[in-house]
Amino acid sequence: MTTHTATAVLVHGAWADEASWDKVVRLLHARGIKTVTPRLPLSSLADDTATLNRALEPIEGPIVLVGHAYAGAVIATVQSPKVKALVYVTALAPDQGETVADVFYRNEHDDKAPKLAPDADGWIWLPTEAFGIAFAQHATHAEQQALAAAQLPISPACITVAVEQPLWKSLPAWYLVAEHDHMIPEKTQRFMAERMHAHISAYPMDHLPSVTAPERVEAIIVEAIEHSKA
């Protein structure tokens, strides 16, 4: 087993928690790659950035940041010099002056995409049935049930604030495009990946490949670590 000096920090998006990375973590550990899986509060982009910054502080050595979905915006807001590369897993990558909502709604969603709106307390939840239709349709029924039970809602404050200059403008980026994604259209993913000049891989996966295609996620993280000489 080769021991890598880089730490892969795996950041969950909306409606999933850090356990959604478990399969990828096991694969990376088998390669000798250290991992950290922080939990975001999903209360605002500023809160999530602060949480991620705190998680990065004690890590020694280089870091490769990996973000799923909404977390693509979060990983691009940190400024730690330890970060050497960014990996986007079906993730959102707003440019300076854009919000997460701007890129999320850039292209029309298909008829399997869920309708999203805040509840009476101001949180956006994913409808339970959406886990099997749009979010992780390639997962087992048991996995879909577990995801729905553990889902973390997101605040509109996460997706309606314009970002500052994103880190992908100064660091190498990798992007895993999910061709069967009903949450973020493939066309939108490719637009963002091409705009950031990312190293692009594309497969017929759903929105949560960390659960349904973990080997694909592992491979792109390893590629980012090796090519960035982290």
Side-chain angles (χ1 to χ4, degrees):
M1 180 177 69
T2 302
T3 299
H4 296 263
T5 57
T7 297
V9 178
L10 314 176
V11 189
H12 67 83
W15 311 304
D17 64 11
E18 64 274 23
S20 63
W21 294 108
D22 284 355
K23 292 181 182 180
V24 178
V25 165
R26 287 195 292 270
L27 292 170
L28 292 174
H29 286 179
R31 288 181 174 269
I33 298 174
K34 297 172 289 184
T35 64
V36 172
T37 54
R39 170 174 285 214
L40 300 182
L42 301 177
S43 50
S44 72
L45 182 58
D47 290 347
D48 294 334
T49 300
T51 297
L52 181 54
N53 278 325
R54 286 193 296 271
L56 300 184
E57 285 177 7
I59 298 174
E60 296 182 359
I63 295 169
V64 170
L65 281 179
V66 185
H68 171 250
Y70 158 70
V74 182
I75 65 173
T77 60
V78 301
Q79 296 300 327
S80 171
K82 293 183 285 189
V83 178
K84 304 303 180 185
L86 304 173
V87 177
Y88 290 77
V89 179
T90 70
L92 293 160
D95 199 350
Q96 185 172 3
E98 292 179 339
T99 68
V100 171
D102 287 337
V103 285
F104 183 74
Y105 291 109
R106 177 181 175 84
N107 292 296
E108 185 176 356
H109 290 66
D110 64 29
D111 58 4
K112 293 185 179 179
K115 303 298 182 185
L116 301 172
D119 65 9
D121 296 317
W123 293 93
I124 304 171
W125 296 82
L126 193 67
T128 299
E129 63 274 11
F131 284 91
I133 297 172
F135 196 79
Q137 70 270 22
H138 296 169
T140 66
H141 181 64
E143 288 171 334
Q144 292 164 0
Q145 288 183 311
L147 288 164
Q151 73 161 300
L152 299 177
I154 187 169
S155 167
C158 296
I159 63 175
T160 55
V161 176
V163 305
E164 298 181 358
Q165 179 159 306
L167 203 55
W168 52 259
K169 290 199 168 182
S170 57
L171 287 179
W174 279 255
Y175 199 109
L176 186 59
V177 174
E179 296 170 336
H180 293 173
D181 194 331
H182 298 299
M183 297 295 299
I184 303 173
E186 178 188 357
K187 184 178 179 181
T188 301
Q189 294 182 44
R190 289 188 180 276
F191 163 77
M192 294 182 293
E194 291 168 2
R195 180 170 66 175
M196 72 171 74
H197 304 292
H199 304 267
I200 302 172
S201 299
Y203 299 98
M205 307 176 301
D206 63 18
H207 183 64
L208 198 62
S210 60
V211 171
T212 60
E215 295 84 2
R216 298 295 191 190
V217 180
E218 174 214 14
I220 197 169
I221 295 171
V222 171
E223 182 180 334
I225 290 173
E226 292 179 347
H227 282 71
S228 62
K229 298 181 175 154

